[in-house]
Amino acid sequence: MLTDYKRLHRLVQSGAVFCAFDTETTGLFPKQDRIIELGAVKFNKTGVLDTFNTLVNPEIPLPPVCQQVSHITDDMVRDAPKIASVLLDFLRFSEGCILVAHNALFDIKFTDEELKRCGLLTLTNQAIDTLNLSRWAYPANGHWKLQILAAQFDIKVKAAHRACDDARVCMEVFLRCIRDTMDKQKPVLAEDSLF
């Protein structure tokens, strides 16, 4: 996890490629619950480079609470790809990127558990948690949920609790946090290393 938030502007300006991502799941527990949607937005200082979005067939019935939150139904995931192929596609999509997620450990732990179940290696990307970043950037807020931050910054939410839109909103919150903390950001010096 990258936590030196004073150097994020430098990292962006260096040309680093980021991948904001989000998962929708059948529940809150990575060892027993499953990913049902994975969405991501790849971006750098020039803007959005690509997007990734797919429903996932979890091979178990979706709990009612999961359907209420995400509006994803059993019918929607029935013919969706299974997690193994989705993960391979996501690993290719995010290769070499710095991952960005809101409450990042949740999405990373779910992804890692699914990777382990498929016999694959867990994520090795560096990551930035926009929940902790926003707490650092806006300590007086009191609330740092993604949808609250989106409303605060007039970021249009098209489909809350759907993975690709939440990933896009996360990207916008990440960039806004950096912009709003320029007075705290360390200046870019040619001889400095980033991290």
Side-chain angles (χ1 to χ4, degrees), residues 14-150:
S14 76
V17 178
F18 301 88
C19 178
F21 86 110
D22 183 65
T23 59
E24 297 302 325
T25 65
T26 59
L28 301 175
F29 305 102
K31 291 198 181 294
Q32 68 189 43
D33 291 308
R34 300 292 185 264
I35 292 174
I36 58 170
E37 187 177 38
L38 200 157
V41 179
K42 189 186 300 186
F43 66 100
N44 66 10
K45 65 182 178 180
T46 67
V48 173
L49 303 172
D50 202 358
T51 59
F52 177 93
N53 189 44
T54 184
L55 291 167
V56 180
N57 182 341
E59 302 182 84
I60 59 171
L62 301 186
V65 69
C66 158
Q67 295 183 55
Q68 290 167 354
V69 171
S70 67
H71 303 291
I72 297 171
T73 66
D74 287 308
D75 286 343
M76 293 168 67
V77 299
R78 184 170 291 115
D79 296 324
K82 293 185 174 66
I83 193 64
S85 65
V86 169
L87 289 172
L88 291 172
D89 290 342
F90 177 67
L91 290 174
R92 282 189 286 272
F93 181 85
S94 62
E95 186 177 3
C97 296
I98 297 168
L99 298 176
V100 179
H102 204 73
N103 193 16
L105 284 179
F106 178 88
D107 297 293
I108 290 170
K109 284 179 181 178
F110 258 95
T111 305
D112 281 348
E113 278 301 319
E114 294 280 25
L115 284 163
K116 285 185 217 174
R117 278 192 282 273
C118 294
L120 300 169
L121 297 176
T122 57
L123 294 170
T124 58
N125 308 58
Q126 291 183 304
I128 298 167
D129 184 350
T130 54
L131 176 59
N132 289 332
L133 172 61
S134 62
R135 286 178 174 151
W136 173 78
Y138 314 103
N141 256 27
H143 300 283
W144 299 273
K145 287 185 175 181
L146 190 62
Q147 306 310 324
I148 290 173
L149 293 169

Side-chain angles (χ1 to χ4, degrees), residues 145-158:
K145 287 185 175 181
L146 190 62
Q147 306 310 324
I148 290 173
L149 293 169
Q152 180 179 338
F153 302 144
D154 291 322
I155 296 169
K156 185 175 183 178
V157 175
K158 298 173 185 172

